Amino acid sequence: MSITMKDIAHQLGVSVATVSRALHGSPEISAERRKQIVDYARRLNFLPNAMAQQLRLSGRRPSKIVGVIVPELAHYYFSTVLKGIDEVCASRGYAVMIAESGEDHEREVEACRRFREHRVCGVIVSMAKNSRGVDHFQEFIDDGIPLVFYDRICTAIDTSRVTVDDYRGAFHAVDYLIRTGCRRIVLYTSPMNLEISKNRFNGYKDALLQAGLTFDERRVLLCDQRQQAEQLTPHVMAGADRPDAFFCTNDETAIGTLYTLKRLGLRVPDDVSLCGFTNGEGAISCDPMLTTVEQRGKELGRQAAEILLQKAEGQLAAEAVERRIVKTRLVVRGTTRPLAG
């Protein structure tokens, strides 16, 4: 069984970051503490990121397996991200090892463990909804293994990331709804511990305020799955001050809302307008076709893979932090009214 920095840290009662700094000769660690850690590591025949160091010194290319964690394999958006990652990796001779977290923290941790066992040359990850703590991600950083977040990022770790412009995507969608005459717009959102949820919420709220409309927190509801939308929407529409529009955090939720509104005898968009966020295949399969924000998942995946491989091959410094934002666009279809004039 291989020894990790985490094992050394546990035995010596220090943090993983302290072990990493000591093994790399950081002056931030006292000479006495540094000697203690280095001597202990040597007794265990441990060399930090030995393979990566040797490959850099020898000029050979690193391990040619890239680890990728997706929350849901069957999700259209994540499948397009994977396509972008795989295209870039395949074109440069790398294989992709995929793990699905299933939106579960423990499965996410286990995926990270398996990647370390397989000595992947880098990891690309979108966090699970209930992901907690950062140790399972920090271990990659401490061992010099490139880590790139996409879509759902971990703000507690300063590492490279590629995200969609969630704020502007949400702002433009809600602004369009307002300009078509909507005034009581409900936001169906993902959990607010996710950075994408915060950004889309802020875009929604700012669009309302910029238009001179009152922000009502009662119209912000946790709902990010089709089944939830089908259960919740009848109750939302039963109120006296019922909404005239819904902005949904993904297309699945929007399609569930559309199905329910039609089942309630309401006309879309004459009675209620509707906008999603993804622009997946389902957006053109429903009736009417869905107005939605296009995320461009394939482009996001390509950029995440490019950053990772540049780091793995030494074209980017290991400590370099790349932050890229992929622009969105609003695709107007049949679930929203046209602009006047």
Side-chain angles (χ1 to χ4, degrees):
M1 180 177 177
S2 62
I3 300 298
T4 67
M5 286 191 186
K6 189 173 183 180
D7 296 326
I8 296 172
H10 177 72
Q11 291 297 322
L12 297 180
V14 297
S15 69
V16 174
T18 296
V19 173
S20 176
R21 293 188 184 104
L23 294 175
H24 287 86
S26 172
E28 297 178 22
I29 309 300
S30 69
E32 181 180 357
R33 174 66 81 184
R34 192 161 61 242
K35 184 177 186 304
Q36 177 197 24
I37 293 172
V38 170
D39 288 348
Y40 185 77
R42 283 175 178 164
R43 288 200 300 274
L44 297 177
N45 294 317
F46 174 83
L47 288 175
N49 198 26
M51 183 173 66
Q53 289 183 4
Q54 290 168 8
L55 289 170
R56 282 197 297 271
L57 292 173
S58 67
R60 291 162 54 203
R61 300 181 72 182
S63 165
K64 307 205 67 149
I65 301 175
V66 174
V68 182
I69 300 179
V70 297
E72 294 180 66
L73 277 170
H75 194 288
Y76 172 84
Y77 173 65
F78 292 119
S79 70
T80 61
V81 173
L82 279 175
K83 186 173 180 61
I85 292 172
D86 187 62
E87 284 187 1
V88 170
C89 290
S91 70
R92 290 162 67 170
Y94 286 78
V96 176
M97 181 178 179
I98 302 169
E100 181 182 36
S101 70
E103 304 288 14
D104 180 73
H105 171 76
E106 298 302 331
R107 285 180 62 180
E108 183 178 82
V109 171
E110 175 62 17
C112 290
R113 185 191 66 77
R114 291 202 310 273
F115 287 164
R116 290 172 64 82
E117 284 184 352
H118 283 81
R119 295 291 191 141
V120 297
C121 68
V123 177
I124 303 173
V125 57
S126 181
M127 291 172 57
K129 286 180 186 176
N130 70 346
S131 182
R132 58 187 185 276
V134 299
D135 287 353
H136 54 305
F137 297 134
Q138 185 65 45
E139 286 177 348
F140 293 119
I141 302 295
D142 293 337
D143 286 352
I145 300 171
L147 175 67
V148 178
F149 283 101
Y150 70 94
D151 193 55
R152 302 180 192 167
I153 63 173
C154 177
T155 57
I157 297 179
D158 190 23
T159 190
S160 297
R161 60 196 61 173
V162 183
T163 57
V164 168
D165 196 345
D166 293 292
Y167 172 85
R168 291 189 182 279
F171 182 93
H172 289 318
V174 176
D175 177 65
Y176 182 85
L177 290 171
I178 293 169
R179 287 189 291 133
T180 60
C182 301
R183 294 295 179 267
R184 301 179 304 280
I185 305 170
V186 162
L187 170 64
Y188 276 171
T189 181
S190 297
M192 282 296 175
N193 64 301
L194 300 174
E195 198 69 15
I196 61 170
S197 302
K198 297 174 187 176
N199 291 335
R200 292 177 192 179
F201 166 78
N202 288 332
Y204 161 84
K205 182 177 180 180
D206 286 353
L208 293 175
L209 296 178
Q210 182 170 297
L213 300 178
T214 301
F215 166 69
D216 187 344
E217 63 182 13
R218 293 173 299 180
R219 293 198 177 113
V220 178
L221 302 170
L222 181 60
C223 178
D224 65 352
Q225 296 177 5
R226 175 170 181 158
Q227 184 178 6
Q228 289 177 326
E230 292 178 7
Q231 293 172 346
L232 181 59
T233 303
H235 300 286
V236 174
M237 298 306 296
D241 189 29
R242 71 184 193 185
D244 55 13
F246 288 82
F247 173 51
C248 303
T249 193
N250 57 52
D251 285 358
E252 283 188 11
T253 303
I255 292 169
T257 305
L258 172 62
Y259 168 80
T260 306
L261 291 171
K262 291 171 70 175
R263 186 163 52 83
L264 293 172
L266 296 165
R267 298 169 300 165
V268 177
D270 295 336
D271 299 323
V272 187
S273 292
L274 184 62
C275 181
F277 206 116
T278 300
N279 197 29
E281 293 176 349
I284 57 174
S285 300
C286 54
D287 181 27
M289 290 192 288
L290 183 66
T291 292
T292 185
V293 178
E294 185 176 51
Q295 287 184 275
R296 301 175 63 209
K298 184 177 176 181
E299 177 61 23
L300 184 145
R302 290 184 60 84
Q303 293 200 30
E306 286 169 0
I307 293 171
L308 187 87
L309 297 187
Q310 285 173 3
K311 283 177 170 285
E313 295 178 349
Q315 298 164 11
L316 272 177
E319 64 276 9
V321 176
E322 287 279 308
R323 291 189 176 93
R324 298 185 188 178
I325 298 176
V326 175
K327 292 183 179 179
T328 61
R329 72 183 181 101
L330 181 65
V331 181
V332 177
R333 298 194 180 100
T335 57
T336 51
R337 298 190 290 270
L339 292 172

